């Protein structure tokens, strides 16, 4: 009897060890899967683990979308080997990803050098994350210069809207995705940062979701844009927080003249608008937004094709 008890005890110990090992394996597997499908994504679908995912599961809710993109990345990548490209991107993402998480967002996907993030709690979270990202990029560039590497510039676009999170594909291969016109618009707004020389831009809808935004942040309007694929105009704003101090101060100093110029432009008073844009540039001569409008006004005066809303045919 004693011998049988010992055998049973040993079997019980081995069984416990097997269960513990299985639990560890399951925990590690779930952690590994979460690197590809964010746990936040599963949480919004009401799922506890990746095992519960089924094709076609979906949920609809409002979120703020953050798109960031490295400017002139194609040119930059051409100077690097494939291995160097991979190391650079992983180094860059290592800096950006924790900031998104710090402000209650999560990464939906990496698209080459671009990052698409979602902020389910508030639009202000997304804006504060954007500013923190730009500040971190400034520090990151100092290190890059010290090591003999080229500094990078990143544009960030924000838009808020309803979106559908769900799973698509088939029984053998599925993926989590976000479907929404708001996603496309956030991407378009990020694209505008190149044209206006802005680091961060957001839509009027996102701005409306941030209480007392003008008291908490330095913003300036950039006009109403009809971006490619949209029939209605979208008011867009530049965020001056996070810029190098000289640029931020210069744009703030010229802000009153710039805003007045936009008002004059919307009324069709092109000569006065051009003068006011030029006046705003005295504080920051390299202001690409003012230069854009001055060039646009000159073209409209030449061809007589003024319109209060800026129509953009490119992405």
């Amino acid at each position: 009897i004693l011998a049988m008890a010992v055998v049973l005890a040993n079997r019980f110990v081995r069984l416990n060890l097997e269960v513990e090992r299985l639990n560890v394996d399951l925990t590690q597997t779930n952690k590994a899967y979460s690197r590809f499908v964010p746990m936040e994504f599963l949480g919004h679908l009401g799922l506890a683990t990746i095992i519960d995912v089924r094709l076609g599961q979906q949920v609809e809710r409002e979120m703020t979308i953050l798109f960031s993109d490295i400017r002139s990345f194609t040119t930059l990548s051409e100077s690097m080997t494939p291995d160097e490209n991979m190391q650079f991107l992983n180094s860059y993402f290592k800096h950006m990803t924790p900031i998104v998480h710090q402000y209650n967002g999560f990464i939906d996907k990496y698209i080459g050098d671009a990052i698409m993030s979602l902020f389910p709690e508030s639009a202000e979270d997304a804006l504060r994350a954007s500013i923190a990202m730009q500040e971190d990029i400034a520090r990151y560039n100092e290190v890059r210069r010290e090591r003999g590497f080229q500094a990078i510039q990143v544009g960030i676009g924000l838009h808020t809207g309803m979106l559908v999170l769900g799973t698509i594909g088939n029984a053998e291969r599925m993926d989590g995705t976000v479907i929404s016109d708001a996603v496309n618009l956030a991407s378009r707004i990020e694209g505008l940062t190149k044209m206006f020389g802005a680091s961060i831009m957001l839509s009027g809808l996102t701005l409306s979701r941030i209480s007392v935004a003008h008291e908490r942040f330095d913003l300036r309007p950039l006009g109403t844009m009809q971006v490619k694929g949209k029939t209605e105009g979208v008011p867009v704003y530049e965020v001056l927080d996070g810029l190098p101090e000289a640029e931020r101060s210069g744009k703030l100093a010229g802000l009153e003249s710039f805003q007045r110029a936009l008002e004059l432009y919307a009324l069709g008073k092109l000569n006065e608008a051009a003068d006011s844009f030029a006046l705003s540039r005295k504080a920051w001569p390299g202001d690409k937004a003012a230069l854009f409008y001055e060039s646009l006004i000159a073209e409209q005066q030449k061809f007589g094709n003024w319109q209060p809303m800026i129509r953009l045919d490119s992405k």
Side-chain angles (χ1 to χ4, degrees):
I1 295 174
L2 181 60
M4 184 175 292
V6 170
V7 170
L8 289 174
N10 288 335
R11 287 180 178 176
F12 183 74
V13 169
R14 286 198 299 271
L15 182 61
N16 273 339
L17 290 173
E18 284 291 328
V19 170
E20 287 180 11
R21 195 157 44 241
L22 286 172
N23 284 333
V24 170
D25 288 345
L26 181 59
T27 300
Q28 292 177 339
T29 299
N30 279 330
K31 187 175 181 179
Y33 274 124
S34 70
R35 296 171 185 165
F36 297 92
V37 181
M39 290 305 296
E40 297 92 339
F41 193 101
L42 297 179
H44 286 293
L45 291 176
L47 306 176
T49 71
I50 193 75
I51 297 172
D52 301 320
V53 172
R54 300 291 182 270
L55 187 64
Q57 290 171 313
Q58 59 179 276
V59 64
E60 183 178 9
R61 62 166 299 176
E62 181 177 284
M63 294 188 187
T64 297
I65 304 107
L66 182 157
F67 256 98
S68 70
D69 193 53
I70 301 175
R71 292 179 185 155
S72 304
F73 178 70
T74 301
T75 303
L76 179 65
S77 65
E78 287 174 351
S79 66
M80 297 186 287
T81 66
D83 180 62
E84 289 170 337
N85 265 294
M86 191 68 71
Q87 289 185 34
F88 163 68
L89 285 175
N90 284 332
S91 172
Y92 167 68
F93 292 147
K94 184 179 179 180
H95 279 260
M96 298 296 101
T97 302
I99 296 173
V100 172
H101 294 156
Q102 179 185 347
Y103 289 92
N104 307 311
F106 64 95
I107 306 293
D108 178 67
K109 57 177 65 72
Y110 300 107
I111 312 166
D113 62 298
I115 302 174
M116 176 181 162
S117 308
L118 302 177
F119 291 80
E121 301 302 324
S122 75
E124 186 167 336
D125 283 342
L127 179 50
R128 291 193 180 278
S130 301
I131 295 167
M133 289 166 74
Q134 292 292 2
E135 291 173 342
D136 190 80
I137 288 166
R139 293 188 292 271
Y140 180 55
N141 278 333
E142 290 179 6
V143 176
R144 286 182 60 81
R145 290 189 188 96
E146 289 172 0
R147 296 178 179 176
F149 296 122
Q150 179 182 341
I152 62 171
Q153 289 184 308
V154 175
I156 298 176
L158 303 176
H159 181 57
T160 304
M162 297 300 296
L163 47 81
V164 175
L165 291 84
T167 54
I168 59 171
N170 59 41
E172 287 73 36
R173 176 69 170 89
M174 67 180 75
D175 195 7
T177 192
V178 177
I179 300 173
S180 173
D181 181 59
V183 172
N184 297 328
L185 188 48
S187 177
R188 296 286 191 268
I189 292 172
E190 183 282 316
L192 293 177
T193 62
K194 306 179 187 73
M195 187 172 73
F196 287 110
S199 293
I200 306 168
M201 288 178 61
L202 50 76
S203 67
L205 183 56
T206 296
L207 184 59
S208 72
R209 296 293 193 269
I210 303 174
S211 60
V212 294
H214 289 281
E215 286 77 12
R216 295 178 180 175
F217 304 98
D218 291 323
L219 307 164
R220 72 169 180 171
L222 292 177
T224 300
M225 310 292 147
Q226 183 185 355
V227 299
K228 186 174 182 180
K230 299 289 290 184
T231 57
E232 297 181 357
V234 179
V236 292
Y237 296 80
E238 178 182 8
V239 182
L240 304 182
D241 302 82
L243 288 174
E245 186 53 36
E247 182 178 355
R248 176 179 168 275
S249 298
K251 288 182 175 180
L252 282 173
L255 181 57
E256 185 176 346
S257 296
F258 189 92
Q259 289 179 314
R260 177 60 178 157
L262 282 179
E263 293 168 1
L264 291 166
Y265 177 83
L267 295 172
K269 297 180 179 181
L270 301 187
N271 287 329
E272 296 173 65
D275 291 342
S276 195
F277 279 123
L279 180 61
S280 75
R281 277 197 301 109
K282 288 186 176 181
W284 185 250
D287 186 355
K288 287 186 70 172
L291 289 167
F292 165 81
Y293 271 104
E294 289 177 65
S295 176
L296 180 65
I297 288 170
E299 178 184 330
Q300 291 176 340
Q301 288 176 321
K302 180 178 180 180
F303 295 104
N305 58 349
W306 168 83
Q307 54 183 358
M309 184 168 61
I310 310 302
R311 182 174 179 177
L312 304 168
D313 295 322
S314 60
K315 294 184 179 180

